[in-house]
Amino acid sequence: MSMDETIPYHGIEDILSADRFGTYLGWAGGDRNKAVSLYTLNALLSESLQLPLHMLEVALRNRIHQVMAEAHGDTWFDMPKHQLNAIQLDMLARARQDLAEKGKDDTPTRIVAALTFGFWTTMLGKEYENLWQQTLKDIARREDGKGLRRKDFTRPLGQIRTLRNRLAHHETVLYWDLPKHYGNILQMISWLSPVAADWCRAYCRFQSLYPVEGVNLIS
């Protein structure tokens, strides 16, 4: 999409609210049509990033569950030694409550699917360094077959979680270094599952949507 493309849609700014649209209007130097173009670009890029974020979350939780279940059984998440962060107990309780409200049994696979991304990233926290060394290290491998450190995941994951939350709330992300974060997301997916990374590259539209010249925002 060209950043110079005129997209009238008269009156759309009224439904977006003055504060929300004002951010884009400021970046466009007061050019209303360019502001609509920037808003559209933000929406399209946000949509495109949902696909690799979806795969990262699914791959991370399933690899952790696979490895932990092999070492500690299907209900490893109920063991006190694997609940080193107090917030995990609340997350488990909410997952079981959600299942109960839907009339579903809390089988291990359903609990795994119901637990939030926050639960799985918590499993890579510093309090789990020993568990990483003993078991969790087996969730992923570098392309050359070498092992990974826990910090190889946790360093980019903090910002990726923030990005994910911004996208979920339809907030602005154009000022973020999106190519960098997209690359980090794909890198982690490839460590967890090379075939899943190939799937993302085949179907994610981010690279085709992101302007070759970058995003020009007037500060």
Side-chain angles (χ1 to χ4, degrees), residues 6-25:
T6 299
I7 309 176
Y9 295 103
H10 298 298
I12 195 171
E13 56 267 50
D14 296 334
I15 199 66
L16 296 178
S17 83
D19 285 345
R20 176 179 288 267
F21 190 69
T23 297
Y24 297 90
L25 197 60

Side-chain angles (χ1 to χ4, degrees), residues 97-109:
Q97 182 179 351
D98 289 344
L99 290 171
E101 290 175 354
K102 294 174 182 176
K104 296 181 178 180
D105 294 333
D106 58 346
T107 62
T109 54

Side-chain angles (χ1 to χ4, degrees), residues 109-130:
T109 54
R110 284 177 177 163
I111 291 174
V112 167
L115 287 167
T116 64
F117 191 46
F119 180 91
W120 303 107
T121 57
T122 298
M123 291 298 301
L124 302 178
K126 61 182 179 181
E127 58 266 62
Y128 285 106
E129 178 63 31
N130 287 339

Side-chain angles (χ1 to χ4, degrees), residues 128-168:
Y128 285 106
E129 178 63 31
N130 287 339
L131 185 62
W132 175 270
Q133 296 293 340
Q134 297 165 2
T135 307
L136 288 176
K137 61 181 175 56
D138 294 330
I139 67 172
R141 282 286 183 272
R142 293 185 185 276
E143 291 83 352
D144 60 7
K146 293 182 180 179
L148 290 153
R149 299 171 302 169
R150 180 183 57 81
K151 289 183 178 180
D152 292 325
F153 278 92
T154 56
R155 281 174 180 164
L157 266 178
Q159 287 192 321
I160 288 171
R161 280 185 63 187
T162 302
L163 174 63
R164 176 182 177 274
N165 291 338
R166 290 191 68 83
L167 296 179

